Amino acid sequence: MELKGQVEEFIYQNESNSYTIAVFTTEDEEVITIVGYLPFIAVGDTLKLQGKMVVHQEYGEQFKIETFEKLMPENAASLEKYLSSGTIKGIGPATAKKIIDKFGEETLSIFKFEPLRLSEIKGISKDRAYEIGEEFNEKWEVWQIVSFLETFGIGANNSKKVYDVLGVNAVEKIQENPYVLVDIVYGINFNNIDRIAMQIGIPMDSDYRIKSGIKYALLVASYNGNTCVQKENLIKYVESVLEVSRERIEENLINLNASSEIHIVNQEEKEVVFLEALYKAEKNIAERLIALRDSQNMKFIKNFEAEIKKHEDKMDIELSEKQFEAIKQINENNISIITGGPGTGKTTIIKCVIEIYKSHKRKVVLCAPTGRAAKRMSETTGEEAKTIHRLLEIGKFEEDRLGSIDNDVTPINADVIVVDEMSMVDVFLMNYLVKAIFLGTKIIFVGDPNQLPSVGPGSILKDLIESKKFATEHLDKIFRQAAKSKIIVNAHNVNNGISFIGKKDYSEDSENDFFYINESNQDKMLYQILSLSKDRLKNYGDYEFFKSIQVLTPTKKGKIGTKELNKKLQETLNPKTDEILEKNYGDIIFREGDRVMQIKNNYDIYWEKGSTKDLKTYEASTGVFNGEIGRIVKIDYETKQIEIEFDDGKIAWYAFSELDQLEHAYSITIHKAQGSEFDVVILAIPQSSNMLLTRNLLYTAITRAKKLIVVIGSKSLIEFMINNNDTKKRNTGLKEKLENL
C-alpha cells in the first residue's frame, strides 16, 4: 500500500534510531498516524510511504512504514508548511509566509539555485541568506542516504547511525570505501559489501578491503563468544576469506594496531588480537571492578556474625559453614561471588542477605540478565527483581553492540546489588552494569559457571573467578532436602562426569522426579515425546502441558529438532478446529492457544498487565524481549492482530506484519531455556553435532526442571555427552586484565 502526503507533527521520536510515531496528512487530506523508522525527517516534509495499515490495541488504526521516500514539496502551500515548522534555523511561520508571498512557485528554485535572493526579504542579510540556502540543500541531500543504503541491505533503522558517523558526505565516503560500513553496522553482511566494492573497482589487495576483512573476522569470532583471537589463527582465516598474501595482512594488522582500531597484546605467551570496542569494554570492566572492590566499605555492619545468627533464628533456617562464610564475606568485601549448582543453598543466602540489610534500612536491588530469570528470582525471594536492561534503562542502543559501549546508563540507586544468573551476562551487558554502580555499593554476583556461557561475547563469571581478585565462595554441599531430588543429585553427577544411567544408590526417601528412556530410533523418540506431552504425564502427576511441561532439545534441525517437534506438538496438543482461528505466516501456522516465544528484542511493543479497575496492580509499558514465552489468546482478523499473554501476566498485541518476531515454543532449544525453570521437562537428545553434545549442555538442561524430568536418548549418546567435557574455551582477556591491574 502506498501513501503520499505531509508530516504534520511528531507524537514520539527515538533519538538514537529515529523510530517515529507521527501525524500524517495524505493527498486526499485524510489524517492518519504513521509508525516506523524515519531518519532525517522533519515536520512539513512531503513523503511517499510504502507499508500496511494495522490496528494498535491502544492507539487505534496506524500506517506501519516499510520503506519511505522524501519528496520535494510540490506547491507553495506545502513548502510554506515545511518552512514554518522551524526545520531551517531562523525561519519561522512569519518569515516563511514572507518568502512564499515574495517568490511564490519559484521559492524552491530560489532556495536551491539562487539563495542570495532571500536577502530581498526584510530581516535576512546576504550572509544569512547564504547560510539558509546551504542548510536547506544539506537537509535535502541527507535523506538520500536512506535509499542509497538499501542497496547494501541496510534499513532505515541504521541509516541515522551511518549519517551520525559519516556526516553529510556519507554517500560519497561509502562510494569511495564501502567497507567503512563494517565498522558502523553490527551484524552487517560482509560478502554483500565485498561484492559491491569489487563491482565499483576496489582492488582485491586494497588496504580498505584487508583492514575490513580483519575486523570482520574479529566480529565473526565475537558472534561465537570470543572477545579476542589468536593472531596466527586470525591471519589464516583472513587469508582464506580474502585470498590475499600473508604479508599484506600482517602490514594491515600493524597499521590497524597503530591507529587503535584493534589491539594486539601478549596473553598467555601468545599474541592475541582484539577489536577496539571489545578491548575497551573488558578494560572498562576490569578497572571499574577493581575501583569498586577497593573503595571504602561504607555498608559494613558491626557484629555481623551475631546478625547472621539472629536472622537464622528469625527465618528458621540452619546455614551450612560455607553459607555462613559466604554471607560473612559479603559484609567484609564490596564485591562477592557466590557459585554452586542446584540445591546448594544460593537462594537461601540471597534471602538471608536481603533480610539482614533491610533490617539496617539498606536498599537491596535484585536483577538478572533475562525476564524469565528475573521472574524466577522474584518468586524464590519474594522481592521485586528486574532485568539488568530495565534496571539500567539502556533501551535500544544496546542492540547496536559494538558502537554503544560508551553510552550513558541510569545509575543504580542501591546499597546492595544482587545479580543472579551471572553465567548469562556478556561483556556488553557487564560493561553497562559496572558503569552504573556507585563506589561504596556492595555487589553480589551469583551464578553457576558450569552452565552454558552467555550468548554474547565474553566469559565474565569464569574470568572473575579465575582472576582470584574477588572474594569467592563455591557451594558444593547438596542440602538434605535437595538431596532427595534425583534431578539435583543427577545434575551434580553429570557435572562431575558420573552417569545417571543404571544408577540405583539414591537415598531411601528419594523423590521419583527423574526418569530415563533409552531410545535411539527417532520415530520412537517422537512417539514418546508426544504421548508424554498429551496424556502420560497428566495421568502420572496431573501435569498439564500448557501449565507445566516444556520440551527441550539441543538442536533446531531434524525430526527431533525444535522446528519439526513444534509442528507435531501443535497438531497433537492444539489441533485445528472450526472454533479456533489461525493465521498463516510463511510456512508457520499460528493458532489460538499456541505457545509462542519472542525471538528478538522489541523495545516498542505496548503491553498491559492487570486490570485498570485495580490501579495498584495495573501496569502498562513497552518492550518484549528475546526468550519471553506466552500463549496466543486471540487472533483478530478485523484488527489484523494477535493477542498474546506472556508467562509473567503481561498482554501484548502483535500486528500480522510483526509475526516474524515470534516462533512456536512447544519445544525450544536448551540454549533458549537458559535462565528459565519449568515444572516438568521432557529432554530429547537425538544424534546431532558433537559440538552440541557436551556435558555442560546436558547439565544445563537437567537443571531447568523443578519437579520432574524425563530424558529420552540412547545410552551411548548420553554417556558421550557426560564424558565430553571438552567445552569450547572462549578466547577472552578479562582475566588477564584483572590480573595485570
Side-chain angles (χ1 to χ4, degrees):
M1 182 177 177
E2 184 177 290
L3 292 180
K4 201 163 143 189
Q6 268 190 310
V7 178
E8 297 292 338
E9 65 172 304
F10 291 132
I11 299 170
Y12 165 81
Q13 189 165 49
N14 182 295
E15 290 182 11
S16 65
N17 68 358
S18 299
Y19 181 83
T20 302
I21 304 172
V23 177
F24 188 77
T25 302
T26 69
E27 286 180 310
D28 301 329
E29 299 190 349
E30 182 186 1
V31 179
I32 62 169
T33 303
I34 58 173
V35 294
Y37 295 99
L38 287 176
F40 322 123
I41 296 304
V43 170
D45 278 349
T46 302
L47 307 178
K48 184 162 75 175
L49 308 174
Q50 296 282 347
K52 299 173 183 174
M53 293 302 300
V54 297
V55 179
H56 192 283
Q57 188 71 19
E58 184 185 19
Y59 303 118
E61 195 169 52
Q62 300 175 333
F63 186 83
K64 189 173 178 65
I65 302 161
E66 292 171 358
T67 61
F68 78 94
E69 182 182 347
K70 186 170 171 179
L71 306 172
M72 288 287 186
E74 293 177 347
N75 53 54
S78 60
L79 183 55
E80 183 178 348
K81 191 183 288 186
Y82 172 75
L83 295 173
S84 297
S85 69
T87 192
I88 304 294
K89 191 177 176 183
I91 299 181
T95 306
K97 188 173 188 312
K98 288 178 186 175
I99 292 170
I100 297 299
D101 287 348
K102 171 77 175 174
F103 299 114
E105 298 297 333
E106 287 186 88
T107 303
L108 194 57
S109 176
I110 297 292
F111 269 96
K112 285 177 70 69
F113 306 114
E114 301 177 89
L116 288 178
R117 286 194 59 194
L118 293 170
S119 62
E120 295 173 25
I121 305 296
K122 189 176 180 181
I124 299 179
S125 66
K126 285 195 174 182
D127 286 346
R128 183 65 195 124
Y130 179 77
E131 289 170 3
I132 288 170
E134 267 202 330
E135 185 179 350
F136 181 89
N137 287 307
E138 181 182 296
K139 286 183 184 297
W140 279 113
E141 290 194 17
V142 157
W143 72 267
Q144 293 176 12
I145 295 169
V146 180
S147 54
F148 174 73
L149 288 176
E150 283 182 353
T151 61
F152 294 89
I154 298 172
N157 54 324
N158 279 307
S159 298
K160 186 174 186 298
K161 181 155 192 289
V162 173
Y163 171 72
D164 289 343
V165 174
L166 298 181
V168 290
N169 297 320
V171 172
E172 290 84 350
K173 288 175 182 176
I174 295 166
Q175 285 172 331
E176 180 187 342
N177 172 22
Y179 297 108
V180 73
L181 292 169
V182 172
D183 297 337
I184 302 171
V185 183
Y186 186 77
I188 197 167
N189 186 324
F190 177 83
N191 293 330
N192 193 18
I193 291 176
D194 200 33
R195 178 177 49 79
I196 293 171
M198 296 290 103
Q199 286 173 357
I200 64 174
I202 291 182
M204 279 189 72
D205 65 347
S206 155
D207 287 341
Y208 288 148
R209 183 170 185 259
I210 297 170
K211 285 178 180 177
S212 184
I214 290 167
K215 287 188 276 189
Y216 175 71
L218 292 169
L219 268 176
V220 170
S222 80
Y223 303 154
N224 293 318
N226 303 291
T227 61
C228 60
V229 176
Q230 285 187 21
K231 182 181 172 184
E232 184 58 32
N233 293 342
L234 176 66
I235 291 171
K236 286 177 181 174
Y237 179 82
V238 175
E239 265 186 306
S240 67
V241 171
L242 299 188
E243 298 179 354
V244 293
S245 71
R246 181 187 182 93
E247 291 71 28
R248 294 287 289 123
I249 296 168
E250 287 180 329
E251 279 174 34
N252 280 281
L253 277 168
I254 292 166
N255 293 334
L256 285 168
N257 190 52
S259 61
S260 294
E261 293 175 73
I262 63 169
H263 290 266
I264 303 174
V265 299
N266 285 310
Q267 193 168 287
E268 295 180 347
E269 299 181 358
K270 287 180 181 172
E271 280 191 304
V272 296
V273 187
F274 292 83
L275 279 170
E276 156 70 3
L278 290 165
Y279 180 85
K280 192 173 178 182
E282 284 191 343
K283 186 169 179 286
N284 291 348
I285 293 164
E287 290 174 351
R288 187 64 181 168
L289 283 175
I290 296 299
L292 288 161
R293 184 198 68 178
D294 294 344
S295 61
Q296 185 182 347
N297 191 348
M298 296 164 61
K299 315 302 178 187
F300 182 83
I301 296 172
K302 293 177 181 176
N303 305 316
F304 198 69
E305 289 191 30
E307 285 284 337
I308 299 173
K309 289 185 170 114
K310 184 172 84 176
H311 280 83
E312 263 188 298
D313 294 337
K314 184 180 174 185
M315 297 170 69
D316 193 24
I317 56 173
E318 185 179 343
L319 297 167
S320 70
E321 186 180 337
K322 283 202 169 187
Q323 283 180 311
F324 196 92
E325 286 302 312
I327 297 172
K328 207 168 96 174
Q329 83 174 13
I330 290 164
N331 188 49
E332 294 166 356
N333 299 275
N334 285 333
I335 296 179
S336 302
I337 301 170
I338 299 168
T339 73
T344 55
K346 298 190 298 291
T347 300
T348 300
I349 290 173
I350 295 172
K351 287 162 83 171
C352 196
V353 166
I354 292 168
E355 290 302 318
I356 291 172
Y357 283 96
K358 278 175 67 178
S359 71
H360 283 262
K361 303 289 189 280
R362 302 282 165 82
K363 184 177 179 182
V364 182
V365 167
L366 309 180
C367 61
T370 66
R372 291 183 71 85
K375 183 189 175 196
R376 184 157 61 87
M377 202 179 184
S378 295
E379 289 168 350
T380 55
T381 63
E383 301 286 331
E384 182 189 19
K386 292 183 176 180
T387 64
I388 299 172
H389 293 78
R390 284 279 185 215
L391 185 63
L392 304 182
E393 299 178 9
I394 57 179
K396 288 192 177 73
F397 69 72
E398 198 270 334
E399 294 294 279
D400 181 23
R401 316 302 286 275
L402 292 181
S404 59
I405 62 166
D406 293 323
N407 282 320
D408 292 330
V409 294
T410 302
I412 303 170
N413 176 23
D415 297 303
V416 181
I417 300 168
V418 184
V419 190
D420 200 6
E421 295 287 357
M422 269 299 295
S423 63
M424 299 179 70
V425 175
D426 67 20
V427 69
F428 298 112
L429 198 53
M430 189 66 173
N431 176 59
Y432 297 132
L433 180 63
V434 296
K435 192 187 292 191
I437 300 173
F438 290 113
L439 295 179
T441 303
K442 283 193 179 296
I443 311 122
I444 306 162
F445 296 124
V446 183
D448 184 347
N450 296 308
Q451 287 192 23
L452 291 170
S454 58
V455 175
S459 188
I460 300 295
L461 182 59
K462 280 189 176 179
D463 283 354
L464 296 188
I465 294 167
E466 290 176 7
S467 74
K468 298 181 180 175
K469 293 287 184 180
F470 309 101
T472 301
E473 192 66 59
H474 178 68
L475 306 173
D476 52 11
K477 176 189 171 185
I478 306 175
F479 280 83
R480 190 175 64 180
Q481 189 62 36
K484 292 179 183 179
S485 167
K486 292 178 185 175
I487 294 172
I488 289 174
V489 170
N490 286 329
H492 284 271
N493 282 340
V494 166
N495 194 39
N496 293 320
I498 301 167
S499 177
F500 54 77
I501 297 173
K503 178 176 166 57
K504 292 180 180 162
D505 57 337
Y506 299 107
S507 63
E508 288 183 11
D509 56 352
S510 286
E511 298 165 5
N512 282 324
D513 59 0
F514 191 103
F515 296 93
Y516 168 61
I517 299 172
N518 182 5
E519 186 56 74
S520 59
N521 181 287
Q522 294 202 4
D523 288 318
K524 291 179 180 178
M525 288 177 77
L526 179 60
Y527 167 77
Q528 295 283 2
I529 294 164
L530 298 179
S531 64
L532 284 163
S533 298
K534 187 177 182 183
D535 300 312
R536 283 160 60 193
L537 289 177
K538 186 165 179 58
N539 296 335
Y540 174 78
D542 199 25
Y543 295 121
E544 198 271 320
F545 186 88
F546 289 104
K547 291 179 183 174
S548 308
I549 302 170
Q550 181 64 58
V551 178
L552 301 183
T553 176
T555 181
K556 292 181 178 180
K557 298 174 183 176
K559 192 172 284 187
I560 309 298
T562 55
K563 289 188 176 178
E564 289 303 314
L565 278 178
N566 274 317
K567 290 178 185 175
K568 296 295 184 184
L569 285 162
Q570 184 194 41
E571 288 171 16
T572 303
L573 300 168
N574 191 28
K576 178 173 173 52
T577 68
D578 292 339
E579 292 78 35
I580 297 176
L581 293 178
E582 57 183 38
K583 168 64 183 171
N584 286 49
Y585 190 85
D587 60 349
I588 300 174
I589 299 170
F590 289 107
R591 194 172 286 155
E592 289 175 340
D594 276 347
R595 180 186 285 170
V596 292
M597 175 186 278
Q598 176 80 13
I599 57 171
K600 58 184 175 183
N601 290 344
N602 183 333
Y603 294 83
D604 299 305
I605 200 158
Y606 175 82
W607 56 261
E608 294 178 349
K609 188 192 290 187
S611 169
T612 51
K613 293 176 183 176
D614 182 5
L615 294 178
K616 287 183 181 178
T617 59
Y618 176 76
E619 194 180 348
S621 187
T622 58
V624 179
F625 301 104
N626 189 0
E628 293 199 54
I629 293 175
R631 285 190 77 186
I632 296 175
V633 177
K634 182 182 179 183
I635 296 176
D636 190 331
Y637 273 90
E638 189 174 332
T639 62
K640 296 183 179 176
Q641 289 187 119
I642 287 182
E643 179 183 334
I644 296 171
E645 181 174 359
F646 286 92
D647 285 355
D648 62 357
K650 66 174 175 274
I651 293 175
W653 295 267
Y654 289 71
F656 286 174
S657 58
E658 296 174 315
L659 297 182
D660 61 329
Q661 300 176 39
L662 298 171
E663 64 183 28
H664 286 117
Y666 294 92
S667 172
I668 62 175
T669 62
I670 297 164
H671 282 86
K672 283 285 189 184
Q674 197 179 356
S676 303
E677 275 189 343
F678 310 96
D679 285 347
V680 179
V681 167
I682 300 169
L683 173 60
I685 308 286
Q687 182 65 58
S688 53
S689 164
N690 285 358
M691 285 178 62
L692 289 174
L693 300 176
T694 61
R695 182 188 295 177
N696 70 339
L697 189 87
L698 181 58
Y699 171 73
T700 301
I702 292 171
T703 55
R704 300 310 90 206
K706 287 197 286 186
K707 296 180 180 178
L708 181 73
I709 186 168
V710 182
V711 182
I712 309 168
S714 73
K715 181 176 183 292
S716 59
L717 211 54
I718 301 294
E719 299 281 10
F720 174 83
M721 291 183 80
I722 292 169
N723 292 319
N724 182 15
N725 199 28
D726 187 23
T727 307
K728 198 171 181 185
K729 184 181 182 296
R730 293 186 167 191
N731 293 313
T732 65
L734 179 59
K735 175 190 164 192
E736 284 72 18
K737 290 179 178 69
L738 286 164
E739 288 172 344
N740 292 336
L741 283 170

